[in-house]
Amino acid sequence: MYENLETASESIGLQRLAIEPVSRVEGHGKVTLLLDAERRVRQARLHVVEFRGFEKFIQGRPYWEVPTLVQRLCGICPVSHLLAASKATDFFVAGNVPISPTATKLRRLLHFGQVLQSHALHFFHLASPDLLFGYDDPVAHRNVVGVLQDHPEIGLIGVKLRKYGQEVIRVLTGKRVHGTGSVPGGFNKPLSAEERDYLKQDMLTVLGWASHGLSIAKQLFVGDEAANQGFAAARSNFLSLVAPDGGMELYHGGIRVKDADGGVVLDHFDYRGYNAILHEEVKSWSYMKFPFLTALGKEQGWYRVGPLARVNNCDHIPTPRAEAARADFMAHGGGNPVQATLAYHWARMIELLHCAEAIAELLDDPAITGTDLSRSGTPLHEGVGVIEAPRGTLFHHYRIDSNDLITMANLIVSTTSNNTAMNESVRAVAAECFDGREITEGLLNRIEVAIRAYDPCLSCATHAVGKMPLSIEAVAPDGELISRLVKSGDGSFSREAAA
């Protein structure tokens, strides 16, 4: 609506507020707010300011290198890229022949371990300080160290859950980060009985931790439900994969889209035709694209993905404890999809419990230690792989030439699909919380909390805790600095006024 406001700012007296970079997320980004003459927020934008270029530089590489290459997009969810790329490149080995049941189960086990550890990291380490201490708590205390000091049992549950998820990954791929395992056409090593028994030995404890984490997330939301329902509001469509029976499906399924009222827009759509239903808009002020549903157009067709979308979209969750939690969660929508942005955290922990239950079931499946790991068939020259990554639906699409070299690559990562929604949430928070006069730490915190609810991986990169400086600037249309609030690497703040 305000696409041209920034270029017109000088002539109509608008002022620009910049928040850079955004902290406690994976990757680097900044937020700008454009204010009118009455200092009301007219526009809010989340900018992704890094360019990685994976879609380009893997061109010319042999397809069998791609799953290992593209997982370097991320240090938090590399398994998601490994599996999505493996599913796409399966077509180059096996054509339309499905991979073996054992390889499928091993990939699922790997995926559940990945989602479990990623959700644990986000909820307990990145989000819980805001939820436990409040947005106005001093920044030096509002972090994972503060959680470990004040709520050691909560902090330690997060550490242990993540450690278990990483152990699942290590056992299957050889490394906790950027291992191998899933390959085009199947899996490259079996799971031994000894390795299976090792992963099973702590399973009851892991299920207990997951259940306790879910109860924490629920109580933090319902404890102030009225405020949490309205915070960073973004009424949207939802997109995710579902199983043939409508159940939650994290590894393989058809695309389901629901509108904001719960009406089904698409159901069980074959994801290999994703480019017939999605369009990626490019804007000059961000390296991240803006996908939308082509049939609904860019104004009405944007959507959200991730835990909130998956819990809203599915008819049931195929594990008992998580299904009971889903029914409880959906009751808070009054028969409609739950739209509250902060409900992402609650939904995320429902999924974490589902992953723990699914891991337990797979480890009890005799086929998990099978040795039939690969399939071959009539190769195709185009492949699409889609998976539900921790942050949402992840698309990998490749074409190869007669020499088996990649000629085209298109990736729609989960955070990209949430791009418009994050911008809407930032705008909602800024419009409600910015008084037009003073830049405060509270405003900064609330905007970051809104973005952090989506668990964005802005450039599929990680950064060290405590090393993320942050500044907010109010700049006049002529570029003159009005004021600046600076957060240093140690978490302290200093305010600078214009000379």
Side-chain angles (χ1 to χ4, degrees):
M1 182 176 180
Y2 302 116
E3 189 66 25
N4 298 317
L5 278 181
E6 191 162 9
T7 57
S9 61
E10 293 189 19
S11 61
I12 60 178
L14 297 179
Q15 293 185 338
R16 178 176 174 270
L17 181 83
I19 303 173
E20 180 181 12
V22 176
S23 65
R24 266 196 285 146
V25 296
E26 284 77 57
H28 298 265
K30 70 175 181 178
V31 172
T32 61
L33 308 177
L34 210 60
L35 315 177
D36 62 18
E38 285 74 41
R39 299 183 67 79
R40 295 171 301 190
V41 176
R42 295 286 299 279
Q43 180 190 75
R45 288 175 172 173
L46 171 65
H47 306 254
V48 175
V49 295
E50 291 182 322
F51 179 67
R52 305 295 301 284
F54 271 78
E55 291 174 322
K56 189 64 177 177
F57 70 66
I58 63 173
Q59 292 183 24
R61 307 302 304 174
Y63 72 80
W64 54 83
E65 291 183 354
V66 169
T68 301
L69 282 174
V70 295
Q71 67 174 328
R72 263 66 180 183
L73 276 159
C74 188
I76 298 298
C77 54
V79 168
S80 300
H81 294 289
L82 173 68
L83 291 176
S86 294
K87 289 179 69 177
T89 55
D90 285 342
F91 290 97
F92 306 148
V93 174
N96 290 316
V97 176
I99 67 170
S100 74
T102 295
T104 299
K105 293 177 190 294
L106 288 171
R107 285 186 181 181
R108 285 182 176 274
L109 180 60
L110 178 59
H111 187 43
F112 288 131
Q114 155 66 23
V115 176
L116 186 148
Q117 69 87 20
S118 180
H119 281 357
L121 170 66
H122 181 264
F123 180 76
F124 290 101
H125 294 189
L126 303 181
S128 71
D130 302 307
L131 304 175
L132 290 168
F133 303 139
Y135 314 144
D136 297 310
D137 190 64
V139 68
H141 176 254
R142 198 183 65 254
N143 51 50
V144 67
V145 176
V147 173
L148 288 167
Q149 290 173 341
D150 292 13
H151 303 279
E153 74 289 352
I154 294 177
L156 288 174
I157 285 175
V159 171
K160 292 174 181 177
L161 277 170
R162 186 166 190 237
K163 179 181 178 181
Y164 180 80
Q166 289 180 310
E167 276 298 280
V168 173
I169 296 169
R170 182 192 65 78
V171 167
L172 290 170
T173 72
K175 295 169 63 179
R176 292 182 177 88
V177 181
H178 298 154
T180 57
S182 183
V183 295
F187 216 80
N188 70 357
K189 86 173 190 69
L191 179 72
S192 70
E194 292 76 17
E195 290 170 329
R196 177 204 58 198
D197 293 344
Y198 167 71
L199 293 175
K200 286 180 66 173
Q201 65 185 4
D202 292 326
M203 206 62 245
L204 288 178
T205 303
V206 170
L207 286 166
W209 291 334
S211 295
H212 186 51
L214 171 59
S215 67
I216 294 168
K218 175 186 174 180
Q219 289 306 313
L220 288 172
F221 185 85
V222 301
D224 193 3
E225 187 164 358
N228 291 334
Q229 286 281 6
F231 180 84
R235 183 174 165 83
S236 72
N237 305 300
F238 293 102
L239 182 149
S240 71
L241 299 180
V242 293
D245 65 356
M248 176 177 282
E249 179 53 67
L250 299 182
Y251 176 73
H252 185 73
I255 293 175
R256 174 178 285 177
V257 177
K258 285 187 177 181
D259 63 25
D261 296 317
V264 177
V265 178
L266 285 171
D267 206 9
H268 303 293
F269 184 85
D270 186 340
Y271 63 64
R272 290 175 294 180
Y274 76 98
N275 50 8
I277 62 170
L278 298 180
H279 181 79
E280 298 178 83
E281 185 181 15
V282 177
K283 297 186 179 181
S284 62
W285 44 270
S286 178
Y287 282 120
M288 190 155 61
K289 297 176 183 178
F290 292 78
F292 60 86
L293 295 159
T294 307
L296 299 181
K298 65 180 181 180
E299 295 297 329
Q300 302 297 324
W302 59 274
Y303 55 91
R304 287 193 277 185
V305 298
L308 186 62
R310 293 188 289 250
V311 174
N312 275 324
N313 273 1
C314 71
D315 298 330
H316 66 93
I317 297 177
T319 53
R321 298 189 196 182
E323 168 56 14
R326 183 200 68 86
D328 183 24
F329 177 88
M330 295 304 296
H332 289 260
N336 294 314
V338 175
Q339 292 283 350
T341 297
L342 288 182
Y344 261 99
H345 299 301
W346 185 0
R348 190 169 285 117
M349 296 307 288
I350 293 174
E351 288 192 341
L352 187 149
L353 177 58
H354 168 54
C355 288
E357 291 184 285
I359 289 171
E361 290 179 358
L362 281 168
L363 291 175
D364 282 336
D365 187 334
I368 201 69
T369 54
T371 56
D372 179 14
L373 302 181
S374 63
R375 285 287 188 271
S376 61
T378 302
L380 302 178
H381 284 78
E382 184 169 9
V384 178
V386 178
I387 199 166
E388 285 292 337
R391 293 155 183 84
T393 318
L394 171 65
F395 298 81
H396 280 233
H397 181 189
Y398 306 107
R399 294 193 188 104
I400 59 173
D401 62 17
S402 58
N403 294 315
D404 292 337
L405 303 180
I406 298 292
T407 61
M408 187 283 296
N410 185 48
L411 280 60
I412 305 179
V413 301
S414 315
T415 298
T416 303
S417 288
N418 280 332
N419 195 3
T420 299
M422 289 190 292
N423 277 274
E424 287 293 310
S425 290
V426 168
R427 180 201 57 76
V429 171
E432 178 181 353
C433 300
F434 183 53
D435 64 7
R437 295 183 299 275
E438 184 179 5
I439 304 169
T440 66
E441 181 187 342
L443 171 65
L444 180 157
N445 295 343
R446 284 164 173 80
I447 287 176
E448 288 194 335
V449 167
I451 297 169
R452 202 149 42 235
Y454 295 90
D455 188 17
C457 189
L458 297 180
S459 63
C460 287
T462 58
H463 53 77
V465 175
K467 302 297 184 181
M468 182 64 74
L470 178 70
S471 68
I472 308 179
E473 296 179 346
V475 182
D478 62 2
E480 180 183 357
L481 177 67
I482 297 173
S483 66
R484 179 189 290 125
L485 182 66
V486 180
K487 182 176 76 173
S488 66
D490 62 8
S492 62
F493 280 82
S494 61
R495 187 177 301 278
E496 301 177 22

